[in-house]
Amino acid sequence: MYNCAKCPGYCCSYPIIPLTKRDVERLAKHFGLGFREARAKFTKVDGDEKYAMRRKADVHFGRICRFFDTEARRCTIYKARPTICREYPGGRCGYYDFLASERNSQEDPDHIASTWNK
Ligand code: SF4
Ligand code: SF4
């Protein structure tokens, strides 16, 4: 129903990507860091979220997850990605439906990403 490999990573640009304590522990282990160091390096408090993912600049979406490769348009920590990223989007992805529909109607397989690159 969707293909993340053909998408510029819209869901990775959501303003708040909430992590659990277990997610931070997984990241700490992945990078060989202590929990506190990983928490400070990769997350920040944002409203009610104790462990919101830190983000960085992105030419397409403005801001995006700090672990997103903005050139290759993919996750750089796939095996250590947070729970929410493993579960999202479930059955269908609305953004991918939109993207696929637009690319089909424009007869342009790179529509949107190619436009943003100009
Ligand atoms: S889940 Fe949807 S928005 Fe996220 S990368 Fe995959 S297709 Fe794109
Ligand atoms: S951890 Fe990976 S999949 Fe999750 S938001 Fe960041 S780049 Fe996207």
Side-chain angles (χ1 to χ4, degrees):
M1 303 298 270
Y2 58 92
N3 185 344
C4 300
K6 292 184 176 179
C7 174
Y10 178 69
C11 60
C12 301
S13 75
Y14 285 174
I16 295 183
I17 301 167
L19 277 62
T20 63
K21 190 176 178 207
R22 176 75 192 92
D23 291 329
V24 181
E25 289 169 350
R26 190 188 299 110
L27 284 174
K29 186 177 177 188
H30 182 76
F31 288 101
L33 301 172
F35 179 84
R36 286 186 176 196
E37 197 178 353
R39 180 181 64 187
K41 197 168 181 181
F42 306 139
T43 74
K44 62 178 183 173
V45 176
D46 193 328
D48 291 338
E49 294 300 334
K50 281 176 72 179
Y51 312 112
M53 184 76 89
R54 287 190 182 276
R55 303 195 303 154
K56 63 181 179 182
D58 177 50
V59 68
H60 292 321
F61 296 118
R63 304 281 296 166
I64 203 159
C65 173
R66 72 181 306 292
F67 290 117
F68 193 79
D69 183 329
T70 54
E71 295 296 323
R73 310 305 302 178
R74 63 176 184 81
C75 180
T76 59
I77 54 154
Y78 196 72
K79 286 185 178 172
R81 70 197 188 287
T83 308
I84 196 165
C85 307
R86 293 165 191 264
E87 295 175 345
Y88 191 86
R92 284 195 87 105
C93 173
Y95 182 78
Y96 190 78
D97 285 347
F98 159 76
L99 189 64
S101 169
E102 285 298 311
R103 286 178 173 177
N104 187 44
S105 64
Q106 301 291 331
E107 297 182 358
D108 176 3
D110 297 322
H111 182 62
I112 296 182
S114 60
T115 303
W116 282 330
N117 278 323
K118 285 173 187 166

